[in-house]
Amino acid sequence: MESSDVILRMKKTIYYTDKILINFPKTEIVLKTRITNCFYDILEYSYQALIDTKNRCELIRNILTKMKMLDFYLKLSFDKGALSHKNLKTLGINLREITELYYAWLKKNEKKK
């Protein structure tokens, strides 16, 4: 697993999610904003983790925390009817695979210490 692979997957997922969020109800603007911010925070932490080898494990843990929050926001969006079952399933599969890549990256870096 290359760290660039997980970043590329995250970028593709962000593009997909941006298309979905266009149709989000205006009443759920806060939820939409949280989802968007989570995705961009994860991408930012990923780039930081590539560069900052000293704090890489901490940054990846922050990413994993954001992934858990993203999971919650997406489930809440589905419960409120702002996200379809098909979109939730597609995002869920992608995010689960991406999370596994981040865990592998963390494990690889913890072994180095």
Side-chain angles (χ1 to χ4, degrees):
M1 188 278 316
E2 292 292 322
S3 50
S4 57
D5 293 344
V6 71
I7 292 173
L8 181 61
R9 289 284 305 270
M10 182 52 70
K11 284 181 180 179
K12 288 180 181 179
T13 305
I14 289 171
Y15 287 130
Y16 175 78
T17 307
D18 279 345
K19 291 177 186 175
I20 294 170
L21 293 179
I22 289 172
N23 298 320
F24 237 62
K26 292 183 183 195
T27 56
E28 300 301 335
I29 192 72
V30 172
L31 195 53
K32 177 182 176 180
T33 302
R34 294 265 182 174
I35 291 168
T36 302
N37 289 343
C38 250
F39 271 113
Y40 290 120
D41 287 347
I42 291 167
L43 189 60
E44 184 178 342
Y45 285 142
S46 299
Y47 281 120
Q48 287 176 351
L50 272 177
I51 296 166
D52 188 357
T53 56
K54 184 177 179 183
N55 297 314
R56 183 172 288 159
C57 289
E58 180 183 341
L59 288 164
I60 296 171
R61 285 187 195 96
N62 288 340
I63 290 168
L64 293 169
T65 302
K66 291 282 185 182
M67 295 292 284
K68 295 290 184 186
M69 290 306 302
L70 192 54
D71 181 55
F72 170 73
Y73 296 142
L74 293 172
K75 175 75 169 84
L76 186 60
S77 299
F78 174 73
D79 291 344
K80 290 185 170 194
L83 192 63
S84 72
H85 183 267
K86 178 185 172 191
N87 289 335
L88 179 65
K89 184 177 178 182
T90 303
L91 281 170
I93 291 168
N94 278 318
L95 292 175
R96 182 181 48 209
E97 291 171 358
I98 290 169
T99 301
E100 289 172 3
L101 292 172
Y102 279 116
Y103 273 113
W105 192 13
L106 178 64
K107 188 175 181 180
K108 177 181 173 186
N109 283 282
E110 285 179 336
K111 283 184 179 180
K112 288 182 181 180
K113 289 187 175 185

